[in-house]
Amino acid sequence: MYYTTVNEKAASPSRDDALRSIQRELTAFARRARSRAAELHPELSLVAFSMLDLMTERGGCRGADLAAYFMLDKSTVSRQVGALEKLGYLVRETDPEDHRGQILRPSPAGLEAMRAAHEQRRIAFLDRLTDWDDADIAQLAAYLERYNSSF
Amino acid sequence: MYYTTVNEKAASPSRDDALRSIQRELTAFARRARSRAAELHPELSLVAFSMLDLMTERGGCRGADLAAYFMLDKSTVSRQVGALEKLGYLVRETDPEDHRGQILRPSPAGLEAMRAAHEQRRIAFLDRLTDWDDADIAQLAAYLERYNSSF
DNA sequence: TCATCTGGATGTACTATACAACCGTGAACG
DNA sequence: CGTTCACGGTTGTATAGTACATCCAGATGA
């Protein structure tokens, strides 16, 4: 056993090394994801893209939902939504049930832009994973789903 | 074989599903990275932390190495390094072999700050990964390293 | 009715970042 | 040699994304 004190969470050295590595690699990934997203689709930032994605998945949602889901300030969401609207990628509709809020939905153009972005990213991933076994890819996907599902 | 046309990149359906999943999950991670980083350790930004980490692991490295690894502009690295130096978290030393470059190393204070930040993050990760086997953690780390090393 | 809550917009400020222009060092080649 | 070009780093400038504070309008409940 590798416990040090009662209160300190500990683990085996090798487990600790792996954790450290996961942290660093995920961080590096996050960094690259941003620059690559910008490069692939200059008009659609990672956050904006994800917002459209959530609207689609939920069949329309309010700004407050986006703020909660992405842990962003409502002012940030307001501006991102404004930008998306200016691009013609979403439409707003005052919520008939509650006139304070708006229901946000991707426009046809927004759906198309999202589809294209998805496809480009898929191709980029394929390039990067060409020489991976199907089994390894499936395993990595499973690990990531498991990791993220803990949020 | 699952090729559709000569020019379109395709893969087996299951492989494609896994790719889509990896894409979505890594993106989800990237979305959360920033807010989580701020929450975990306000004093040491995600990027700065990772830079110190890389310096440590490599036993000192140059700004250009950091820029390449994190896909950042050298000006960005220069400013981050400047900030870390101002905090007393790193020391610079002109490379004796090549007077253009500098060798960057964490200072004792930097090591200590990193140790503290790392411990906080480690605890957060441990919480999230409590019921993972050592083997799974090691495997995930290996996958991420492999993925990132293709850059 | 009035106080309070909630969704959203706007003003302001800060940080991270990129790009471009610059400086000094090193290296290759005539 | 000297010249030219590549490389590492710094600084000026601009932009995007974000938070916080404040304000407004609609909703809600005592």
mmCIF file of all heavy atoms in Angstrom, chain C residues 13-29:
data_model
loop_
_atom_site.group_PDB
_atom_site.id
_atom_site.type_symbol
_atom_site.label_atom_id
_atom_site.label_comp_id
_atom_site.label_asym_id
_atom_site.label_seq_id
_atom_site.Cartn_x
_atom_site.Cartn_y
_atom_site.Cartn_z
ATOM 1 P P DA C 13 -12.802 50.529 -17.870
ATOM 2 O OP1 DA C 13 -12.464 51.448 -16.769
ATOM 3 O OP2 DA C 13 -12.527 50.888 -19.282
ATOM 4 O "O5'" DA C 13 -12.106 49.127 -17.555
ATOM 5 C "C5'" DA C 13 -12.504 48.414 -16.396
ATOM 6 C "C4'" DA C 13 -11.893 47.028 -16.431
ATOM 7 O "O4'" DA C 13 -12.659 46.185 -17.328
ATOM 8 C "C3'" DA C 13 -10.448 47.009 -16.937
ATOM 9 O "O3'" DA C 13 -9.657 46.283 -16.009
ATOM 10 C "C2'" DA C 13 -10.536 46.306 -18.289
ATOM 11 C "C1'" DA C 13 -11.772 45.425 -18.110
ATOM 12 N N9 DA C 13 -12.453 45.088 -19.365
ATOM 13 C C8 DA C 13 -12.782 45.937 -20.381
ATOM 14 N N7 DA C 13 -13.391 45.347 -21.386
ATOM 15 C C5 DA C 13 -13.477 44.025 -21.004
ATOM 16 C C6 DA C 13 -14.016 42.885 -21.616
ATOM 17 N N6 DA C 13 -14.596 42.905 -22.807
ATOM 18 N N1 DA C 13 -13.925 41.710 -20.959
ATOM 19 C C2 DA C 13 -13.341 41.693 -19.765
ATOM 20 N N3 DA C 13 -12.796 42.698 -19.073
ATOM 21 C C4 DA C 13 -12.904 43.845 -19.758
ATOM 22 P P DC C 14 -8.087 46.248 -16.161
ATOM 23 O OP1 DC C 14 -7.499 46.661 -14.877
ATOM 24 O OP2 DC C 14 -7.690 46.910 -17.433
ATOM 25 O "O5'" DC C 14 -7.839 44.690 -16.328
ATOM 26 C "C5'" DC C 14 -8.671 43.785 -15.615
ATOM 27 C "C4'" DC C 14 -8.461 42.388 -16.155
ATOM 28 O "O4'" DC C 14 -9.312 42.197 -17.310
ATOM 29 C "C3'" DC C 14 -7.024 42.145 -16.629
ATOM 30 O "O3'" DC C 14 -6.596 40.897 -16.117
ATOM 31 C "C2'" DC C 14 -7.132 42.133 -18.145
ATOM 32 C "C1'" DC C 14 -8.560 41.640 -18.362
ATOM 33 N N1 DC C 14 -9.170 42.073 -19.651
ATOM 34 C C2 DC C 14 -9.839 41.130 -20.435
ATOM 35 O O2 DC C 14 -9.903 39.964 -20.048
ATOM 36 N N3 DC C 14 -10.392 41.527 -21.608
ATOM 37 C C4 DC C 14 -10.301 42.799 -21.993
ATOM 38 N N4 DC C 14 -10.870 43.128 -23.150
ATOM 39 C C5 DC C 14 -9.624 43.776 -21.208
ATOM 40 C C6 DC C 14 -9.077 43.373 -20.050
ATOM 41 P P DT C 15 -5.052 40.455 -16.290
ATOM 42 O OP1 DT C 15 -4.586 40.025 -14.966
ATOM 43 O OP2 DT C 15 -4.317 41.471 -17.085
ATOM 44 O "O5'" DT C 15 -5.199 39.153 -17.201
ATOM 45 C "C5'" DT C 15 -6.263 38.252 -16.962
ATOM 46 C "C4'" DT C 15 -6.293 37.234 -18.085
ATOM 47 O "O4'" DT C 15 -6.976 37.792 -19.221
ATOM 48 C "C3'" DT C 15 -4.899 36.823 -18.573
ATOM 49 O "O3'" DT C 15 -4.897 35.415 -18.696
ATOM 50 C "C2'" DT C 15 -4.771 37.544 -19.902
ATOM 51 C "C1'" DT C 15 -6.216 37.599 -20.383
ATOM 52 N N1 DT C 15 -6.557 38.707 -21.304
ATOM 53 C C2 DT C 15 -7.335 38.449 -22.407
ATOM 54 O O2 DT C 15 -7.749 37.346 -22.682
ATOM 55 N N3 DT C 15 -7.617 39.543 -23.182
ATOM 56 C C4 DT C 15 -7.202 40.847 -22.983
ATOM 57 O O4 DT C 15 -7.509 41.730 -23.756
ATOM 58 C C5 DT C 15 -6.385 41.048 -21.801
ATOM 59 C C7 DT C 15 -5.880 42.412 -21.505
ATOM 60 C C6 DT C 15 -6.107 39.986 -21.033
ATOM 61 P P DA C 16 -3.483 34.661 -18.901
ATOM 62 O OP1 DA C 16 -3.412 33.600 -17.880
ATOM 63 O OP2 DA C 16 -2.385 35.634 -19.051
ATOM 64 O "O5'" DA C 16 -3.727 33.971 -20.310
ATOM 65 C "C5'" DA C 16 -4.975 33.415 -20.615
ATOM 66 C "C4'" DA C 16 -5.092 33.228 -22.111
ATOM 67 O "O4'" DA C 16 -5.461 34.471 -22.729
ATOM 68 C "C3'" DA C 16 -3.790 32.779 -22.786
ATOM 69 O "O3'" DA C 16 -4.074 31.626 -23.569
ATOM 70 C "C2'" DA C 16 -3.379 33.984 -23.635
ATOM 71 C "C1'" DA C 16 -4.706 34.671 -23.893
ATOM 72 N N9 DA C 16 -4.610 36.120 -24.087
ATOM 73 C C8 DA C 16 -3.949 37.012 -23.299
ATOM 74 N N7 DA C 16 -4.056 38.252 -23.699
ATOM 75 C C5 DA C 16 -4.849 38.173 -24.832
ATOM 76 C C6 DA C 16 -5.346 39.152 -25.725
ATOM 77 N N6 DA C 16 -5.076 40.442 -25.609
ATOM 78 N N1 DA C 16 -6.112 38.727 -26.744
ATOM 79 C C2 DA C 16 -6.382 37.420 -26.863
ATOM 80 N N3 DA C 16 -5.975 36.420 -26.085
ATOM 81 C C4 DA C 16 -5.208 36.862 -25.079
ATOM 82 P P DT C 17 -2.914 30.854 -24.275
ATOM 83 O OP1 DT C 17 -3.429 29.485 -24.500
ATOM 84 O OP2 DT C 17 -1.666 31.074 -23.530
ATOM 85 O "O5'" DT C 17 -2.809 31.568 -25.688
ATOM 86 C "C5'" DT C 17 -3.869 31.399 -26.612
ATOM 87 C "C4'" DT C 17 -3.835 32.447 -27.671
ATOM 88 O "O4'" DT C 17 -3.863 33.768 -27.104
ATOM 89 C "C3'" DT C 17 -2.581 32.495 -28.528
ATOM 90 O "O3'" DT C 17 -2.624 31.480 -29.495
ATOM 91 C "C2'" DT C 17 -2.709 33.893 -29.154
ATOM 92 C "C1'" DT C 17 -3.638 34.648 -28.191
ATOM 93 N N1 DT C 17 -3.069 35.913 -27.670
ATOM 94 C C2 DT C 17 -3.368 37.079 -28.336
ATOM 95 O O2 DT C 17 -4.064 37.115 -29.323
ATOM 96 N N3 DT C 17 -2.809 38.207 -27.798
ATOM 97 C C4 DT C 17 -1.997 38.281 -26.676
ATOM 98 O O4 DT C 17 -1.559 39.344 -26.277
ATOM 99 C C5 DT C 17 -1.724 37.014 -26.040
ATOM 100 C C7 DT C 17 -0.853 36.965 -24.806
ATOM 101 C C6 DT C 17 -2.272 35.901 -26.551
ATOM 102 P P DA C 18 -1.464 31.318 -30.567
ATOM 103 O OP1 DA C 18 -1.634 30.016 -31.234
ATOM 104 O OP2 DA C 18 -0.195 31.620 -29.890
ATOM 105 O "O5'" DA C 18 -1.767 32.466 -31.626
ATOM 106 C "C5'" DA C 18 -3.028 32.511 -32.274
ATOM 107 C "C4'" DA C 18 -3.016 33.642 -33.292
ATOM 108 O "O4'" DA C 18 -2.917 34.911 -32.610
ATOM 109 C "C3'" DA C 18 -1.850 33.569 -34.260
ATOM 110 O "O3'" DA C 18 -2.322 33.779 -35.573
ATOM 111 C "C2'" DA C 18 -0.906 34.673 -33.797
ATOM 112 C "C1'" DA C 18 -1.831 35.656 -33.115
ATOM 113 N N9 DA C 18 -1.209 36.332 -31.961
ATOM 114 C C8 DA C 18 -0.635 35.739 -30.870
ATOM 115 N N7 DA C 18 -0.165 36.587 -29.984
ATOM 116 C C5 DA C 18 -0.443 37.820 -30.528
ATOM 117 C C6 DA C 18 -0.207 39.132 -30.087
ATOM 118 N N6 DA C 18 0.398 39.424 -28.926
ATOM 119 N N1 DA C 18 -0.622 40.136 -30.874
ATOM 120 C C2 DA C 18 -1.232 39.858 -32.032
ATOM 121 N N3 DA C 18 -1.518 38.673 -32.556
ATOM 122 C C4 DA C 18 -1.097 37.685 -31.747
ATOM 123 P P DC C 19 -1.367 33.502 -36.810
ATOM 124 O OP1 DC C 19 -2.279 32.985 -37.854
ATOM 125 O OP2 DC C 19 -0.193 32.726 -36.366
ATOM 126 O "O5'" DC C 19 -0.852 34.944 -37.266
ATOM 127 C "C5'" DC C 19 -1.792 35.979 -37.470
ATOM 128 C "C4'" DC C 19 -1.052 37.295 -37.642
ATOM 129 O "O4'" DC C 19 -0.638 37.794 -36.352
ATOM 130 C "C3'" DC C 19 0.232 37.192 -38.481
ATOM 131 O "O3'" DC C 19 0.228 38.255 -39.413
ATOM 132 C "C2'" DC C 19 1.348 37.331 -37.454
ATOM 133 C "C1'" DC C 19 0.684 38.262 -36.453
ATOM 134 N N1 DC C 19 1.256 38.242 -35.079
ATOM 135 C C2 DC C 19 1.491 39.461 -34.417
ATOM 136 O O2 DC C 19 1.217 40.520 -34.999
ATOM 137 N N3 DC C 19 2.011 39.439 -33.168
ATOM 138 C C4 DC C 19 2.288 38.286 -32.577
ATOM 139 N N4 DC C 19 2.782 38.316 -31.343
ATOM 140 C C5 DC C 19 2.049 37.037 -33.224
ATOM 141 C C6 DC C 19 1.545 37.063 -34.472
ATOM 142 P P DA C 20 1.283 38.268 -40.635
ATOM 143 O OP1 DA C 20 0.471 38.397 -41.866
ATOM 144 O OP2 DA C 20 2.231 37.140 -40.482
ATOM 145 O "O5'" DA C 20 2.078 39.625 -40.396
ATOM 146 C "C5'" DA C 20 1.409 40.720 -39.767
ATOM 147 C "C4'" DA C 20 2.444 41.731 -39.288
ATOM 148 O "O4'" DA C 20 2.797 41.463 -37.914
ATOM 149 C "C3'" DA C 20 3.752 41.721 -40.076
ATOM 150 O "O3'" DA C 20 4.218 43.050 -40.198
ATOM 151 C "C2'" DA C 20 4.665 40.887 -39.178
ATOM 152 C "C1'" DA C 20 4.198 41.354 -37.805
ATOM 153 N N9 DA C 20 4.500 40.440 -36.711
ATOM 154 C C8 DA C 20 4.384 39.077 -36.714
ATOM 155 N N7 DA C 20 4.731 38.516 -35.575
ATOM 156 C C5 DA C 20 5.090 39.578 -34.776
ATOM 157 C C6 DA C 20 5.547 39.657 -33.449
ATOM 158 N N6 DA C 20 5.723 38.579 -32.668
ATOM 159 N N1 DA C 20 5.818 40.882 -32.950
ATOM 160 C C2 DA C 20 5.647 41.952 -33.738
ATOM 161 N N3 DA C 20 5.213 42.009 -35.002
ATOM 162 C C4 DA C 20 4.955 40.773 -35.457
ATOM 163 P P DA C 21 5.344 43.416 -41.312
ATOM 164 O OP1 DA C 21 4.665 44.284 -42.280
ATOM 165 O OP2 DA C 21 6.035 42.182 -41.742
ATOM 166 O "O5'" DA C 21 6.379 44.291 -40.477
ATOM 167 C "C5'" DA C 21 5.907 45.087 -39.388
ATOM 168 C "C4'" DA C 21 7.033 45.269 -38.382
ATOM 169 O "O4'" DA C 21 7.011 44.157 -37.441
ATOM 170 C "C3'" DA C 21 8.435 45.284 -38.999
ATOM 171 O "O3'" DA C 21 9.119 46.433 -38.521
ATOM 172 C "C2'" DA C 21 9.062 43.987 -38.514
ATOM 173 C "C1'" DA C 21 8.340 43.767 -37.192
ATOM 174 N N9 DA C 21 8.312 42.376 -36.741
ATOM 175 C C8 DA C 21 7.961 41.276 -37.478
ATOM 176 N N7 DA C 21 8.030 40.146 -36.810
ATOM 177 C C5 DA C 21 8.448 40.534 -35.553
ATOM 178 C C6 DA C 21 8.709 39.807 -34.377
ATOM 179 N N6 DA C 21 8.584 38.483 -34.295
ATOM 180 N N1 DA C 21 9.116 40.498 -33.296
ATOM 181 C C2 DA C 21 9.244 41.824 -33.388
ATOM 182 N N3 DA C 21 9.021 42.627 -34.432
ATOM 183 C C4 DA C 21 8.620 41.905 -35.497
ATOM 184 P P DC C 22 10.599 46.770 -39.086
ATOM 185 O OP1 DC C 22 10.695 48.250 -39.104
ATOM 186 O OP2 DC C 22 10.855 45.962 -40.301
ATOM 187 O "O5'" DC C 22 11.554 46.228 -37.927
ATOM 188 C "C5'" DC C 22 11.461 46.824 -36.643
ATOM 189 C "C4'" DC C 22 12.171 45.954 -35.635
ATOM 190 O "O4'" DC C 22 11.585 44.640 -35.630
ATOM 191 C "C3'" DC C 22 13.661 45.713 -35.914
ATOM 192 O "O3'" DC C 22 14.447 46.566 -35.081
ATOM 193 C "C2'" DC C 22 13.881 44.250 -35.560
ATOM 194 C "C1'" DC C 22 12.535 43.786 -35.038
ATOM 195 N N1 DC C 22 12.238 42.386 -35.413
ATOM 196 C C2 DC C 22 12.382 41.389 -34.437
ATOM 197 O O2 DC C 22 12.760 41.711 -33.310
ATOM 198 N N3 DC C 22 12.123 40.101 -34.775
ATOM 199 C C4 DC C 22 11.722 39.800 -36.008
ATOM 200 N N4 DC C 22 11.466 38.525 -36.279
ATOM 201 C C5 DC C 22 11.568 40.790 -37.013
ATOM 202 C C6 DC C 22 11.829 42.064 -36.682
ATOM 203 P P DC C 23 16.043 46.613 -35.381
ATOM 204 O OP1 DC C 23 16.460 47.973 -34.970
ATOM 205 O OP2 DC C 23 16.336 46.098 -36.738
ATOM 206 O "O5'" DC C 23 16.648 45.576 -34.326
ATOM 207 C "C5'" DC C 23 16.277 45.664 -32.954
ATOM 208 C "C4'" DC C 23 16.952 44.531 -32.209
ATOM 209 O "O4'" DC C 23 16.269 43.290 -32.506
ATOM 210 C "C3'" DC C 23 18.419 44.333 -32.621
ATOM 211 O "O3'" DC C 23 19.219 44.203 -31.460
ATOM 212 C "C2'" DC C 23 18.398 43.044 -33.435
ATOM 213 C "C1'" DC C 23 17.215 42.292 -32.831
ATOM 214 N N1 DC C 23 16.560 41.331 -33.754
ATOM 215 C C2 DC C 23 16.349 40.014 -33.335
ATOM 216 O O2 DC C 23 16.732 39.681 -32.208
ATOM 217 N N3 DC C 23 15.756 39.144 -34.189
ATOM 218 C C4 DC C 23 15.364 39.541 -35.393
ATOM 219 N N4 DC C 23 14.779 38.659 -36.195
ATOM 220 C C5 DC C 23 15.568 40.883 -35.839
ATOM 221 C C6 DC C 23 16.165 41.740 -34.997
ATOM 222 P P DG C 24 20.845 44.357 -31.595
ATOM 223 O OP1 DG C 24 21.293 45.193 -30.463
ATOM 224 O OP2 DG C 24 21.189 44.706 -32.994
ATOM 225 O "O5'" DG C 24 21.331 42.869 -31.340
ATOM 226 C "C5'" DG C 24 20.988 42.239 -30.103
ATOM 227 C "C4'" DG C 24 21.241 40.761 -30.229
ATOM 228 O "O4'" DG C 24 20.306 40.195 -31.178
ATOM 229 C "C3'" DG C 24 22.639 40.411 -30.739
ATOM 230 O "O3'" DG C 24 23.159 39.418 -29.887
ATOM 231 C "C2'" DG C 24 22.392 39.883 -32.147
ATOM 232 C "C1'" DG C 24 21.006 39.296 -32.019
ATOM 233 N N9 DG C 24 20.254 39.201 -33.261
ATOM 234 C C8 DG C 24 20.065 40.181 -34.195
ATOM 235 N N7 DG C 24 19.338 39.791 -35.213
ATOM 236 C C5 DG C 24 19.040 38.472 -34.928
ATOM 237 C C6 DG C 24 18.280 37.523 -35.671
ATOM 238 O O6 DG C 24 17.711 37.674 -36.757
ATOM 239 N N1 DG C 24 18.216 36.298 -35.024
ATOM 240 C C2 DG C 24 18.805 36.012 -33.819
ATOM 241 N N2 DG C 24 18.643 34.784 -33.343
ATOM 242 N N3 DG C 24 19.518 36.888 -33.114
ATOM 243 C C4 DG C 24 19.586 38.094 -33.730
ATOM 244 P P DT C 25 24.702 38.980 -29.987
ATOM 245 O OP1 DT C 25 25.219 38.894 -28.613
ATOM 246 O OP2 DT C 25 25.387 39.792 -31.022
ATOM 247 O "O5'" DT C 25 24.560 37.484 -30.538
ATOM 248 C "C5'" DT C 25 23.868 36.545 -29.732
ATOM 249 C "C4'" DT C 25 23.619 35.309 -30.563
ATOM 250 O "O4'" DT C 25 22.820 35.641 -31.701
ATOM 251 C "C3'" DT C 25 24.897 34.658 -31.112
ATOM 252 O "O3'" DT C 25 24.960 33.359 -30.583
ATOM 253 C "C2'" DT C 25 24.702 34.676 -32.638
ATOM 254 C "C1'" DT C 25 23.195 34.802 -32.768
ATOM 255 N N1 DT C 25 22.692 35.435 -33.999
ATOM 256 C C2 DT C 25 21.916 34.695 -34.852
ATOM 257 O O2 DT C 25 21.621 33.530 -34.650
ATOM 258 N N3 DT C 25 21.483 35.361 -35.969
ATOM 259 C C4 DT C 25 21.748 36.677 -36.306
ATOM 260 O O4 DT C 25 21.302 37.172 -37.332
ATOM 261 C C5 DT C 25 22.559 37.400 -35.371
ATOM 262 C C7 DT C 25 22.904 38.822 -35.654
ATOM 263 C C6 DT C 25 22.994 36.752 -34.273
ATOM 264 P P DG C 26 26.247 32.437 -30.895
ATOM 265 O OP1 DG C 26 26.356 31.483 -29.779
ATOM 266 O OP2 DG C 26 27.368 33.322 -31.261
ATOM 267 O "O5'" DG C 26 25.798 31.603 -32.181
ATOM 268 C "C5'" DG C 26 24.721 30.702 -32.051
ATOM 269 C "C4'" DG C 26 24.389 30.099 -33.400
ATOM 270 O "O4'" DG C 26 23.956 31.144 -34.293
ATOM 271 C "C3'" DG C 26 25.582 29.414 -34.103
ATOM 272 O "O3'" DG C 26 25.115 28.149 -34.512
ATOM 273 C "C2'" DG C 26 25.886 30.338 -35.275
ATOM 274 C "C1'" DG C 26 24.526 30.941 -35.565
ATOM 275 N N9 DG C 26 24.531 32.243 -36.217
ATOM 276 C C8 DG C 26 25.151 33.395 -35.783
ATOM 277 N N7 DG C 26 24.943 34.414 -36.580
ATOM 278 C C5 DG C 26 24.142 33.897 -37.595
ATOM 279 C C6 DG C 26 23.607 34.532 -38.736
ATOM 280 O O6 DG C 26 23.726 35.703 -39.095
ATOM 281 N N1 DG C 26 22.846 33.648 -39.512
ATOM 282 C C2 DG C 26 22.648 32.316 -39.197
ATOM 283 N N2 DG C 26 21.899 31.628 -40.057
ATOM 284 N N3 DG C 26 23.147 31.716 -38.144
ATOM 285 C C4 DG C 26 23.883 32.558 -37.376
ATOM 286 P P DA C 27 26.146 27.002 -34.986
ATOM 287 O OP1 DA C 27 25.883 25.833 -34.116
ATOM 288 O OP2 DA C 27 27.486 27.596 -35.083
ATOM 289 O "O5'" DA C 27 25.644 26.656 -36.456
ATOM 290 C "C5'" DA C 27 24.380 27.133 -36.893
ATOM 291 C "C4'" DA C 27 24.286 27.006 -38.402
ATOM 292 O "O4'" DA C 27 24.291 28.341 -38.984
ATOM 293 C "C3'" DA C 27 25.455 26.273 -39.059
ATOM 294 O "O3'" DA C 27 24.949 25.638 -40.216
ATOM 295 C "C2'" DA C 27 26.396 27.413 -39.415
ATOM 296 C "C1'" DA C 27 25.386 28.463 -39.856
ATOM 297 N N9 DA C 27 25.853 29.830 -39.748
ATOM 298 C C8 DA C 27 26.698 30.355 -38.812
ATOM 299 N N7 DA C 27 26.921 31.646 -38.967
ATOM 300 C C5 DA C 27 26.170 31.977 -40.090
ATOM 301 C C6 DA C 27 25.981 33.202 -40.772
ATOM 302 N N6 DA C 27 26.550 34.339 -40.399
ATOM 303 N N1 DA C 27 25.165 33.173 -41.852
ATOM 304 C C2 DA C 27 24.598 32.025 -42.214
ATOM 305 N N3 DA C 27 24.707 30.824 -41.641
ATOM 306 C C4 DA C 27 25.509 30.871 -40.583
ATOM 307 P P DA C 28 25.780 24.414 -40.910
ATOM 308 O OP1 DA C 28 25.114 23.151 -40.565
ATOM 309 O OP2 DA C 28 27.220 24.602 -40.651
ATOM 310 O "O5'" DA C 28 25.486 24.722 -42.449
ATOM 311 C "C5'" DA C 28 24.239 25.323 -42.811
ATOM 312 C "C4'" DA C 28 24.380 25.971 -44.179
ATOM 313 O "O4'" DA C 28 24.821 27.347 -44.019
ATOM 314 C "C3'" DA C 28 25.415 25.289 -45.081
ATOM 315 O "O3'" DA C 28 24.890 25.230 -46.398
ATOM 316 C "C2'" DA C 28 26.629 26.191 -44.974
ATOM 317 C "C1'" DA C 28 25.997 27.562 -44.758
ATOM 318 N N9 DA C 28 26.813 28.490 -43.978
ATOM 319 C C8 DA C 28 27.601 28.205 -42.889
ATOM 320 N N7 DA C 28 28.209 29.250 -42.379
ATOM 321 C C5 DA C 28 27.797 30.300 -43.184
ATOM 322 C C6 DA C 28 28.082 31.674 -43.159
ATOM 323 N N6 DA C 28 28.882 32.249 -42.262
ATOM 324 N N1 DA C 28 27.498 32.447 -44.114
ATOM 325 C C2 DA C 28 26.695 31.868 -45.012
ATOM 326 N N3 DA C 28 26.341 30.587 -45.112
ATOM 327 C C4 DA C 28 26.937 29.851 -44.169
ATOM 328 P P DC C 29 25.633 24.426 -47.536
ATOM 329 O OP1 DC C 29 24.623 23.618 -48.229
ATOM 330 O OP2 DC C 29 26.841 23.782 -46.942
ATOM 331 O "O5'" DC C 29 26.122 25.578 -48.515
ATOM 332 C "C5'" DC C 29 25.347 26.770 -48.626
ATOM 333 C "C4'" DC C 29 26.152 27.835 -49.334
ATOM 334 O "O4'" DC C 29 26.799 28.694 -48.372
ATOM 335 C "C3'" DC C 29 27.285 27.279 -50.210
ATOM 336 O "O3'" DC C 29 27.348 27.983 -51.424
ATOM 337 C "C2'" DC C 29 28.527 27.515 -49.371
ATOM 338 C "C1'" DC C 29 28.149 28.838 -48.726
ATOM 339 N N1 DC C 29 28.930 29.127 -47.507
ATOM 340 C C2 DC C 29 29.197 30.468 -47.166
ATOM 341 O O2 DC C 29 28.764 31.367 -47.886
ATOM 342 N N3 DC C 29 29.926 30.731 -46.042
ATOM 343 C C4 DC C 29 30.375 29.723 -45.302
ATOM 344 N N4 DC C 29 31.069 30.019 -44.211
ATOM 345 C C5 DC C 29 30.120 28.369 -45.621
ATOM 346 C C6 DC C 29 29.406 28.120 -46.730
#
